[in-house]
Amino acid sequence: MKNRLHELRSEQKLHQEQLAKAIDCSQQLISNYETGKLKRLPADLEEKICDYFNCSIDYLRCRTNIRNEKRYSQTLIKIESIIEGFYSNSEGNRKSQQDLTDEELANFQEILSRFKDILQKFPKL
């Protein structure tokens, strides 16, 4: 977790003092947290940090690489729509026959899995 907070601050080019002022806490508290001297922040302070950086508590605690679940889900819905559009005919109905072989489908699933891994690493999601 200490690395994630440091990472978030660095992305915004914020010093500890600046973040402390923005979320109404001490610079020493942030320093102790980032260096591992403090294992856990008070819940209200975690919420302030997450609100400030527009991320989830799970992201802050390094439980996920998805910064903002809502934005991530919206992105996946758009991707799904693009894929569905690709496999629809002009009337908007899905094609009745499978266009890809089983091997091609397996390869496509692998590509989507890799894409999901890459998408989770985008800092803005």
Side-chain angles (χ1 to χ4, degrees), residues 56-73:
S56 68
I57 288 178
D58 284 338
Y59 182 80
L60 181 64
R61 293 179 179 170
C62 295
R63 292 180 180 167
T64 182
N65 288 327
I66 301 170
R67 183 176 291 196
N68 184 309
E69 188 69 39
K70 184 178 178 184
R71 286 185 63 197
Y72 178 74
S73 297

Side-chain angles (χ1 to χ4, degrees), residues 37-87:
K37 292 177 185 174
L38 178 64
K39 298 297 179 196
R40 189 94 190 229
L41 289 171
D44 63 324
L45 195 54
E46 279 186 327
E47 287 180 27
K48 287 180 182 181
I49 291 169
C50 291
D51 288 344
Y52 186 86
F53 291 110
N54 192 25
C55 68
S56 68
I57 288 178
D58 284 338
Y59 182 80
L60 181 64
R61 293 179 179 170
C62 295
R63 292 180 180 167
T64 182
N65 288 327
I66 301 170
R67 183 176 291 196
N68 184 309
E69 188 69 39
K70 184 178 178 184
R71 286 185 63 197
Y72 178 74
S73 297
Q74 290 169 345
T75 300
L76 289 180
I77 289 168
K78 289 177 185 176
I79 291 168
E80 179 183 19
S81 174
I82 291 168
I83 292 170
E84 284 180 357
F86 180 77
Y87 283 100

Side-chain angles (χ1 to χ4, degrees), residues 10 14-15 30 38 52 54 71 77 81 103 106 113 117 124-125:
S10 296
L14 285 175
H15 296 286
I30 292 173
L38 178 64
Y52 186 86
N54 192 25
R71 286 185 63 197
I77 289 168
S81 174
E103 182 180 345
S113 177
D117 292 341
K124 299 294 183 196
L125 296 179

Side-chain angles (χ1 to χ4, degrees), residues 100-113:
L100 303 175
T101 66
D102 289 340
E103 182 180 345
E104 290 170 330
L105 282 173
N107 289 337
F108 186 67
Q109 286 177 323
E110 176 64 27
I111 289 168
L112 288 178
S113 177

